């Protein structure tokens, strides 16, 4: 199987080249030329395997220039013994009959980014040994909070790699910040920027695609790659857990093999929900893909009208990992839905960067409409939903997950759709203690520091804070720098010397 670029279909690369390079030279994103298919018989067989077995099956369909041994080593390195706090890796938690929460935060950094970023360094090491054997890989990351820590944790002390993370100084939670600034490892760097996530992401993209910078790196035996969800190596591990969730729904008797499920995803950069779309196109019986946004509801408007318009106010919310107005992975969906029309996709993306908006054609809009539903929820709605979900089910969800639960509740009330549903849960609630505590006991967080709130949340709910978060208490930050967005390139060179 080969991969091509969303902006130039004449490009044809192997999966290892797509992963090693991260982004195509002309700025497009790599996508597989065709989507591999699985039958209901395949699903029945895969449902009998554990998560590692399921991951090997799905990955081998996409990473066709990896050997079975290489995939085995990568998958075991990522999800093997002791890496995740649940042996199911991505377990389902049943809220009520027909509604299950897919818990994607059992990894080392307590957010769903671990699902991909525990695997990506392994994939990248194999990929670069095939396609660029002598190069040191430099990973640049723009993060809205969770990617940064998950990438640092995944890449720390990985041979032949360096990683540098940029995060918006006022755009991440205190726990997220502390997780990143205290990161250990000899090949890591972290820098705040004055700006929001979109600034960080555009800055990183600009450095990536700058030919002069690439040349300088090349002369020094280095090359850039990306750990953001523009890298195919981030997307493909996420397809696995949607197949796995379907298998678990069948195994638990929530659905009959072949019956459809809805999938609800709290969405930012559109990576997670795109993975669900791939699972659907592979043959997993999916009814609706429900895209949930916070007050930054650019995707809600887009999916309802066909016009993408980023010219709007940017809000800093209590679900910061979704505070995004430019959802990079949408480009992949547009390319697929337009019948792999690279010209059209490139044109829409050019309009987005030039005018801040574009409108898709009727054909693409009709396809979007048939598969996707969308809704949004502001901070008050998010807190109310955390309180209600805890009250009704004794289930404590984080702010991002609550956005999805709220959007799903509204969708169900409006449509009466009784299709069994899986709601993706993307972070442990203790990563966002203040907002979650305010939701379950309004006012109580007044004057408390971050770890008082962790304790308060434990006392209020009886839930335990994961040790990797609790242990951050009292740690001194190692990385305290903050730069202007114009200076990001210099920060990169300083780190690489
Ligand atoms: C990254 C993130 C999201 C958004 O996921 P996308 O793939 O960017 O749409 C949602 N919730 C949490 C907790 C995240 O870390």
């Amino acid at each position: 199987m080969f991969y091509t670029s969303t902006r130039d279909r004449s490009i044809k690369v192997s999966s290892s080249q797509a992963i090693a390079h991260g982004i195509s030279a002309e700025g497009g994103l790599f996508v597989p030329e065709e989507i591999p298919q699985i039958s209901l018989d395949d699903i029945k067989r895969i449902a009998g395997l554990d998560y590692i077995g399921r991951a090997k099956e799905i990955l081998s369909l996409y990473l066709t220039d990896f050997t079975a041994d290489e995939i085995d080593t990568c998958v075991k390195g990522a999800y093997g013994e002791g890496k995740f706090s649940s042996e199911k890796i991505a377990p389902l938690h049943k809220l009520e009959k027909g509604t299950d929460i897919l818990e994607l935060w059992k990894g080392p950094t307590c957010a769903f980014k671990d699902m991909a970023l525990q695997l990506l360094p392994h994939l990248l090491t194999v990929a670069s040994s095939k396609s660029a054997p002598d190069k040191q890989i430099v990973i640049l990351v723009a993060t809205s909070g969770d990617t940064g820590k998950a990438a640092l944790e995944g890449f720390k002390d990985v041979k032949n790699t360096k990683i540098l993370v940029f995060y918006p100084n006022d755009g991440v939670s205190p726990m997220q910040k502390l997780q990143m600034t205290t990161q250990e490892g000899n090949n890591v760097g972290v820098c705040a920027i004055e700006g929001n996530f979109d600034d960080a992401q555009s800055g990183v993209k600009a450095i990536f695609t700058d030919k002069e910078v690439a040349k300088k790196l090349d002369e020094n035996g280095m090359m850039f790659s990306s750990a953001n969800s523009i890298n195919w190596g981030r997307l493909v591990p996420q397809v696995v857990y949607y197949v796995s969730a379907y298998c678990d729904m069948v195994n638990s008797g929530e659905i009959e093999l072949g019956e459809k499920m809805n999938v609800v995803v709290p969405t930012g950069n559109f990576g997670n929900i795109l993975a669900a779309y791939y699972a659907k196109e592979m043959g997993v019986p999916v009814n609706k893909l429900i895209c949930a946004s916070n007050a930054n509801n650019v995707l809600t408007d887009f999916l309802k009208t066909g016009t993408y318009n980023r010219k709007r106010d940017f809000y800093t919310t209590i679900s910061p990992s979704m505070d995004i107005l430019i959802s990079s992975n949408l480009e992949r969906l547009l390319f697929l839905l337009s019948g792999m029309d690279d010209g059209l996709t490139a044109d829409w993306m050019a309009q987005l960067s030039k005018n801040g908006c574009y409108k898709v054609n009727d054909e693409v809009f009709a396809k979007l409409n048939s598969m996707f539903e969308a809704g949004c929820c502001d901070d008050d709605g998010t807190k109310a939903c955390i309180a209600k979900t805890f009250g009704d089910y004794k289930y404590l969800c984080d702010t991002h997950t609550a956005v999805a639960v709220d959007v799903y509740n509204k969708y169900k009330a409006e449509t009466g759709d009784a299709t069994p549903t899986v709601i993706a849960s993307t972070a442990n609630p203790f990563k966002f203690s203040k907002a979650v505590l305010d939701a379950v006991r309004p006012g109580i967080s007044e004057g408390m520091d971050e770890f008082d709130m962790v304790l308060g949340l434990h006392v209020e709910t009886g839930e335990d804070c994961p040790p990797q978060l609790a242990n951050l208490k009292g740690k001194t930050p190692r990385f305290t720098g903050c730069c202007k967005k114009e200076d990001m390139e210099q920060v990169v060179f300083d780190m690489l010397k």
Side-chain angles (χ1 to χ4, degrees):
M1 180 196 280
F2 288 94
Y3 287 70
T4 189
S5 163
T6 52
R7 297 188 198 177
D8 182 356
R9 271 193 78 172
S10 71
I11 286 171
K12 197 176 170 113
V13 299
S14 65
S15 60
S16 59
Q17 285 170 319
I19 291 171
H21 290 278
I23 187 168
S24 187
E26 83 298 343
L29 307 184
F30 291 118
V31 286
E33 284 185 328
E34 68 229 60
I35 299 179
Q37 298 297 304
I38 50 175
S39 66
L40 290 179
D41 281 341
D42 292 328
I43 292 176
K44 193 169 171 186
R45 182 174 48 79
I46 293 171
L49 306 174
D50 64 5
Y51 195 85
I52 286 184
R54 292 171 185 177
K56 289 201 289 197
E57 291 268 343
I58 303 304
L59 293 173
S60 64
L61 299 174
Y62 284 97
L63 309 180
T64 49
D65 66 333
F66 284 56
T67 65
D69 270 354
E70 284 166 345
I71 290 181
D72 181 74
T73 309
C74 289
V75 168
K76 287 187 178 145
Y79 307 118
E81 204 72 36
K83 289 276 187 168
F84 282 64
S85 64
S86 161
E87 68 183 40
K88 302 206 75 169
I89 308 299
L92 288 175
H93 176 103
K94 186 165 162 170
L95 266 197
E96 63 181 5
K97 176 142 183 54
T99 310
D100 283 69
I101 303 273
L102 173 60
E103 295 182 332
L104 300 173
W105 39 262
K106 300 290 186 180
T109 78
C110 308
F112 98 97
K113 303 294 195 291
D114 288 327
M115 297 301 303
L117 281 164
Q118 281 297 306
L119 184 58
L120 182 66
H122 298 282
L123 297 179
L124 200 59
T125 304
V126 174
S128 62
S129 73
K130 288 182 197 290
S131 67
D134 310 316
K135 294 265 188 248
Q136 183 174 47
I137 305 273
V138 179
I139 307 289
L140 286 191
V141 181
T143 184
S144 56
D146 293 323
T147 302
K149 177 60 187 181
L152 289 161
E153 200 54 41
F155 279 97
K156 86 168 171 213
D157 296 329
V158 171
K159 245 179 47 206
N160 249 352
T161 68
K162 282 202 153 118
I163 172 164
L164 180 56
V165 170
F166 291 99
Y167 69 92
N169 201 24
D170 299 320
V172 301
S173 81
M175 192 65 95
Q176 288 178 316
K177 189 182 248 180
L178 199 55
Q179 280 189 298
M180 288 189 278
T181 57
T182 56
Q183 178 65 42
E184 291 167 7
N186 290 319
N187 61 340
V188 304
V190 175
C191 185
I193 69 151
E194 294 170 13
N196 62 34
F197 170 72
D198 292 313
D199 296 322
Q201 176 160 263
S202 323
V204 163
K205 246 187 152 178
I207 299 173
F208 264 131
T209 43
D210 186 320
K211 298 222 164 62
E212 285 299 305
V213 178
K215 203 167 138 238
K216 255 195 219 173
L217 254 69
D218 191 52
E219 287 162 5
N220 288 286
M222 299 177 186
M223 69 181 265
F224 279 136
S225 189
S226 165
N228 277 95
S229 57
I230 53 177
N231 192 323
W232 180 254
R234 270 285 298 280
L235 251 297
V236 68
Q238 300 183 175
V239 178
V240 175
Y241 54 72
Y242 288 109
V243 179
S244 177
Y246 187 81
C247 292
D248 286 342
M249 290 288 274
V250 171
N251 285 347
S252 72
E254 283 278 83
I255 45 182
E256 297 281 336
L257 184 67
E259 197 187 336
K260 288 185 174 177
M261 66 174 182
N262 291 325
V263 177
V264 191
V265 185
T267 298
N269 226 356
F270 211 76
N272 199 357
I273 195 165
L274 185 72
Y277 169 80
Y278 268 95
K280 173 177 163 68
E281 293 301 298
M282 286 178 80
V284 174
V286 171
N287 177 39
K288 291 287 182 190
L289 295 161
I290 302 171
C291 175
S293 303
N294 63 23
N296 295 297
N297 58 1
V298 62
L299 287 168
T300 317
D301 290 348
F302 172 67
L303 292 169
K304 286 187 191 290
T305 65
T307 297
Y308 194 99
N309 187 353
R310 62 159 300 208
K311 290 178 294 178
R312 58 180 68 216
D313 290 337
F314 176 89
Y315 300 102
T316 298
T317 73
I318 57 173
S319 43
S321 301
M322 292 152 66
D323 290 346
I324 292 174
L325 291 179
I326 306 172
S327 294
S328 301
N329 272 297
L330 193 57
E331 176 168 348
R332 286 188 163 111
L333 182 69
L334 297 179
F335 178 71
L336 294 172
L337 296 186
S338 65
M340 298 205 162
D341 191 328
D342 52 353
L344 206 50
T345 310
D347 185 43
W348 287 330
M349 292 305 116
Q351 288 181 43
L352 180 64
S353 85
K354 194 155 158 266
N355 312 324
C357 69
Y358 61 88
K359 184 175 180 16
V360 296
N361 59 30
D362 292 346
E363 201 192 327
V364 168
F365 183 56
K367 287 187 196 161
L368 283 172
N369 242 333
S370 70
M371 283 181 264
F372 287 85
E373 292 287 334
C376 57
C377 166
D378 64 12
D379 280 357
D380 286 342
T382 305
K383 286 185 190 170
C385 182
I386 291 171
K388 183 172 165 25
T389 308
F390 188 67
D392 290 353
Y393 306 107
K394 284 282 161 276
Y395 187 76
L396 190 66
C397 50
D398 94 293
T399 48
H400 304 76
T401 307
V403 168
V405 172
D406 182 70
V407 166
Y408 174 62
N409 288 343
K410 289 188 285 205
Y411 165 81
K412 201 174 173 187
E414 269 161 35
T415 60
D417 181 0
T419 309
T421 297
V422 166
I423 303 172
S425 172
T426 50
N428 182 289
F430 283 90
K431 277 197 97 161
F432 305 94
S433 295
K434 176 170 171 38
V436 177
L437 184 59
D438 282 345
V440 291
R441 262 295 286 284
I444 196 181
S445 74
E446 195 85 28
M448 285 187 176
D449 76 12
E450 184 69 12
F451 290 94
D452 292 340
M453 291 189 271
V454 164
L455 184 63
L457 197 54
H458 167 73
V459 171
E460 287 299 323
T461 65
E463 296 290 329
D464 290 323
C465 181
Q468 58 272 51
L469 298 180
N471 294 344
L472 290 173
K473 189 174 174 174
K475 269 209 177 170
T476 314
R478 220 182 130 192
F479 302 101
T480 51
C482 180
C483 75
K484 294 207 169 61
K485 53 186 171 182
E486 308 80 68
D487 299 333
M488 287 168 64
E489 192 176 310
Q490 193 52 49
V491 172
V492 173
F493 284 128
D494 289 349
M495 155 147 186
L496 300 177
K497 313 217 176 51

